[in-house]
Amino acid sequence: MFLKKLTFIITLLLSLNINSQNQKKIDSLLQVYNELPNDTTKINIIDDIVEYYIANDTSKIEIYVKKQYHLANSLDFGKGKGNSFMNNAKYYRKKRNEDSVVYYFQKALKTYENIDFIRGQAEVRFEMADSYRRVHGYEAGIEFIQQNIAFFKKIKDSSYLATAYYTEANAHFHNDRYKLALERGLEVLKYYEKNKDSSRIISMFPLLSYIECELKHNEKALEYATKYVNHTDKSKKSYIAGMYNTMGIIYTQKEDFKKADSIFTKAYHIAKEIDLSLIHI
């Protein structure tokens, strides 16, 4: 009992400390913002303010995005205008308004193209791809991803190229084209393995497990799922619960119903702990 109380007190203190640090961070950013003249530095610091509010208080985002755009427009600062469109897109993504997400990402891309800001173009293309597919459909989404692949090859950015292949694999998966999805997914995994990027390698395991599960490659699907559960950050409970749910499906396909029931129970308990809805049909 003492240990449980002590654990609760420590958790509460850590939470209060994190909240205090967050408040100090935004207070500091707002102080700097208010003290700056109306110049490009002030426009740039709004990016940090918006990033904070996206994570902590979305109700205040629109105010600063509008300020950023109007100030950038008055100074004819193209990068600042593009960043304001980017921030608007991220705001609407938080609100799950995909049409507006794509609209503002496209405005950002056009702005960055006009000023030949390559890094900004690359970021927009990466950020927009999944939303573009969901709004415009699979065929248009794949066409856009292919444009991204050509762009990343042109600027010789292998990291963004790998993310584009991942996005393509994900698009194929959601359109039930599992063999194409697996082909692209394995290319990305090899790239991350070659670069010894352990966190990105781990991030590939869920998609590869889902694909192999749909292809009824049960042992391979279990291998990827198990690797993810064993090696991912244990604080990512929603992802772990989802992975256990997938493992339950795999064991059901293997007709190992006792094991499936045990794994589904694990998924359920984690989901219940974090108030997450898991639906298995």
Side-chain angles (χ1 to χ4, degrees):
M1 179 63 72
F2 172 75
L3 183 59
K4 287 183 179 179
K5 287 182 178 179
L6 181 61
T7 301
F8 172 75
I9 292 169
I10 291 172
T11 303
L12 178 61
L13 289 172
L14 285 172
S15 176
L16 290 172
N17 184 50
I18 290 169
N19 289 336
S20 175
Q21 288 177 349
N22 283 341
Q23 189 59 49
K24 286 179 181 178
K25 178 180 179 181
I26 190 59
D27 288 345
S28 176
L29 286 170
L30 291 174
Q31 181 179 350
V32 172
Y33 169 81
N34 288 324
E35 292 174 354
L36 285 170
N38 289 335
D39 59 10
T40 57
T41 304
K42 191 168 192 172
I43 293 169
N44 289 334
I45 204 166
I46 292 177
D47 290 331
D48 296 323
I49 293 171
V50 169
E51 182 181 358
Y52 173 86
Y53 282 135
I54 283 175
N56 296 281
D57 186 359
T58 56
S59 67
K60 296 181 180 179
I61 295 172
E62 278 189 296
I63 299 169
Y64 286 97
V65 170
K66 286 179 180 178
K67 288 180 177 181
Q68 186 178 42
Y69 174 77
H70 289 306
L71 182 53
N73 194 47
S74 69
L75 297 174
D76 196 25
F77 181 37
K79 181 174 176 287
K81 285 191 282 187
N83 288 2
S84 73
F85 295 138
M86 279 283 284
N87 287 328
N88 244 330
K90 291 175 182 178
Y91 165 67
Y92 281 109
R93 183 164 60 191
K94 193 78 174 180
K95 293 174 72 70
R96 299 185 179 183
N97 184 336
E98 294 278 26
D99 288 330
S100 294
V101 170
V102 171
Y103 173 77
Y104 281 108
F105 273 141
Q106 287 180 318
K107 286 179 75 71
L109 181 58
K110 184 66 175 176
T111 303
Y112 291 148
E113 286 174 343
N114 288 341
I115 61 173
D116 199 28
F117 181 36
I118 300 300
R119 187 168 61 84
Q121 293 175 50
E123 185 181 355
V124 174
R125 287 180 175 280
F126 162 68
E127 293 277 2
M128 180 169 47
D130 279 331
S131 294
Y132 191 93
R133 171 180 57 83
R134 286 191 286 266
V135 169
H136 295 291
Y138 170 74
E139 297 295 341
I142 290 295
E143 183 179 346
F144 181 70
I145 292 166
Q146 290 299 328
Q147 292 172 9
N148 289 352
I149 289 170
F151 178 81
F152 297 142
K153 284 181 177 178
K154 181 180 178 181
I155 65 173
K156 298 179 180 179
D157 192 315
S158 56
S159 180
Y160 270 124
L161 183 60
T163 63
Y165 284 141
Y166 175 87
T167 306
E168 183 184 1
N170 192 49
H172 289 316
F173 172 77
H174 284 288
N175 202 58
D176 301 337
R177 300 191 178 185
Y178 303 122
K179 289 184 179 180
L180 280 173
L182 183 60
E183 181 182 325
R184 278 303 193 212
L186 290 175
E187 285 183 36
V188 181
L189 180 62
K190 286 178 183 176
Y191 170 80
Y192 291 142
E193 287 175 338
K194 180 181 177 181
N195 287 276
K196 298 180 180 179
D197 190 338
S198 57
S199 63
R200 294 290 183 90
I201 291 169
I202 293 168
S203 72
M204 287 300 303
F205 293 148
L207 178 60
L208 290 171
S209 180
Y210 302 151
I211 296 168
E212 297 284 19
C213 177
E214 292 292 347
L215 290 169
K216 302 295 191 295
H217 300 163
N218 293 321
E219 297 305 323
K220 202 65 183 176
L222 274 176
E223 179 187 331
Y224 289 128
T226 303
K227 283 181 178 179
Y228 181 78
V229 169
N230 289 342
H231 296 291
T232 197
D233 183 344
K234 301 307 177 190
S235 67
K236 296 182 177 180
K237 292 185 178 182
S238 61
Y239 295 98
I240 293 171
M243 202 75 268
Y244 275 131
N245 194 60
T246 299
M247 291 170 74
I249 295 169
I250 297 166
Y251 278 113
T252 300
Q253 289 182 166
K254 287 165 61 70
E255 298 187 0
D256 187 342
F257 301 115
K258 184 176 180 181
K259 185 70 173 178
D261 184 62
S262 172
I263 294 294
F264 279 134
T265 300
K266 279 187 179 182
Y268 170 76
H269 285 307
I270 296 172
K272 186 178 180 182
E273 178 187 343
I274 59 175
D275 195 26
L276 174 72
S277 296
L278 279 176
I279 302 175
H280 169 58
I281 301 176

